[in-house]
Amino acid sequence: MQLAALFKILTVSASLAVVPSLSSAQAYPSRAIKIIVPAPPGGAIDTIARVVGDKLAASMGQPVIVDNRPGASNNLGTDVLAKSAPDGYTIGIVGGSHNINKFLFKNLSWDPEKSFEPIIYTHEVPLVFAIYPRIPARTLPEFVAWMKANPDQAKVATSGRGSAQEMAAEMFRMASGVQMLLVPYKGSSAAHPDLLAGRTALFIDTISAIQSQVKAGNALAIAVSTRKRTVSLPGVPTADEQGLKGYDANTNGGFLAPAGTPQAIVARLNAEINAALKLPDVRAKLEAVGVEIQGGTPQAYAALIKSDLAKWGKVVKEAGIQPE
């Protein structure tokens, strides 16, 4: 009889101990959620964070604050995210450099897989081969031939070390066999003046950054970097279509939470963001700036991160890029 009574007391106590954690999970969110953007305002991931953040605030009933933490090739903000409390109140959105920086920096304080819980793959931004329009080439094969005939002018702009633009240029160098000089700039906007003036011949830039110059006739789009043509520039053929078989580069990314964030919270955020990405006004705003919307499960995003790490690790090794 005493043992039965003791068992009943222990069972009740255990049940009561579980109640607070259940209540806490059910009450999420009970305060503001912060989205860390490891890049300056105005870019693709900042735009996605703000557009999606507005919808999350409405659907989850709490303010959503976008916190820009640019610097150190996006490593600064990513480090802040990795070290944040895994409680669902600090999440982040990353771009293409997230899966590249592992191979470019020796002493990263975070790991692209181990330090985070993938929430959702949100976007892909194709890159455009934009050339100085006075170059006598209108297709990618013609441009490759021109570069080989004019090695002193074969200068290709990049958005700096570790950028998707730099990796795309390295892939182009290896696929085409052209000896070219890569000229790094501090971001896309800093690279545009020299391209428009003909001081560089090519910039493989994101559609969101370069499409206004293309539409104004200041730069000529001769190829897109992805396997499929892009919605934003449907008349521009892919590099793969034009002979660079297998060429596939883009900047992509999504939302992450610090490692250890409860799976129930990750699932809630995944469902809310998936729903937001399907809204017509969200799609219109993001597609207008060259973002191709994705979506899906946390597991699918984890698989993409793994495959991207394999791809970019190979490019860095074959290009002979040494980590700093």
Side-chain angles (χ1 to χ4, degrees):
M1 193 72 177
Q2 290 178 339
L3 286 173
L6 178 60
F7 178 76
K8 184 176 181 180
I9 291 169
L10 290 172
T11 301
V12 171
S13 299
S15 299
L16 290 174
V18 171
V19 169
S21 62
L22 289 175
S23 299
S24 176
Q26 291 168 353
Y28 174 83
S30 59
R31 54 187 170 87
I33 297 171
K34 180 167 64 177
I35 301 175
I36 292 178
V37 178
I45 60 174
D46 177 72
T47 300
I48 296 166
R50 293 178 189 280
V51 171
V52 171
D54 285 346
K55 298 303 181 182
L56 290 182
S59 66
M60 300 182 80
Q62 294 292 340
V64 175
I65 301 162
V66 174
D67 183 7
N68 294 88
R69 297 291 188 98
S73 298
N74 290 5
N75 291 326
L76 179 62
T78 309
D79 174 71
V80 172
L81 176 62
K83 293 176 179 176
S84 296
D87 55 11
Y89 290 99
T90 301
I91 61 175
I93 185 168
V94 296
S97 64
H98 183 76
N99 300 326
I100 297 171
N101 285 351
K102 176 178 180 177
F103 308 105
L104 301 180
F105 299 92
K106 292 180 180 178
N107 299 310
L108 279 185
S109 60
W110 51 271
D111 181 90
E113 294 182 284
K114 298 176 183 177
S115 301
F116 306 97
E117 302 287 348
I119 297 173
I120 184 170
Y121 175 35
T122 54
H123 66 282
E124 176 180 287
V125 181
L127 305 173
V128 177
F129 285 68
I131 68 171
Y132 179 55
R134 293 186 182 179
I135 290 172
R138 293 298 177 265
T139 67
L140 189 58
E142 289 175 358
F143 180 67
V144 168
W146 178 86
M147 291 185 84
K148 289 180 177 179
N150 299 273
D152 58 322
Q153 299 179 60
K155 298 176 182 178
V156 179
T158 78
S159 292
R161 183 173 177 80
S163 64
Q165 291 90 332
E166 181 190 37
M167 293 298 103
E170 290 288 5
M171 287 178 69
F172 176 50
R173 185 210 303 266
M174 291 184 286
S176 66
V178 174
Q179 295 303 310
M180 60 186 75
L181 174 66
L182 300 190
V183 185
Y185 295 83
K186 293 183 178 180
S188 289
S189 59
H192 289 172
D194 280 355
L195 175 69
L196 305 187
R199 288 186 286 270
T200 56
L202 168 70
F203 188 17
I204 308 175
D205 199 9
T206 62
I207 286 182
S208 55
I210 198 69
Q211 66 177 340
S212 62
Q213 300 292 357
V214 169
K215 290 179 178 179
N218 299 324
L220 177 67
I222 59 170
V224 293
S225 66
T226 45
R227 291 288 186 94
K228 296 189 299 182
R229 295 194 184 195
T230 175
V231 174
S232 301
L233 296 171
V236 180
T238 69
D240 180 82
E241 285 180 76
Q242 297 184 75
L244 294 188
K245 294 302 180 183
Y247 188 95
D248 186 18
N250 62 60
T251 176
N252 61 43
F255 283 93
L256 302 171
T261 300
Q263 288 305 301
I265 290 176
V266 170
R268 171 78 187 278
L269 288 165
N270 175 270
E272 297 284 356
I273 297 171
N274 261 317
L277 292 175
K278 293 175 183 177
L279 296 173
D281 62 325
V282 169
R283 300 191 73 87
K285 288 176 182 176
L286 297 184
E287 288 174 356
V289 294
V291 172
E292 299 197 351
I293 297 168
Q294 305 300 313
T297 66
Q299 294 75 21
Y301 188 26
L304 175 74
I305 291 171
K306 186 176 291 295
S307 66
D308 264 12
L309 287 168
K311 176 173 72 175
W312 295 126
K314 182 180 179 182
V315 170
V316 169
K317 182 178 180 180
E318 292 183 0
I321 300 172
Q322 296 299 313
E324 295 179 350

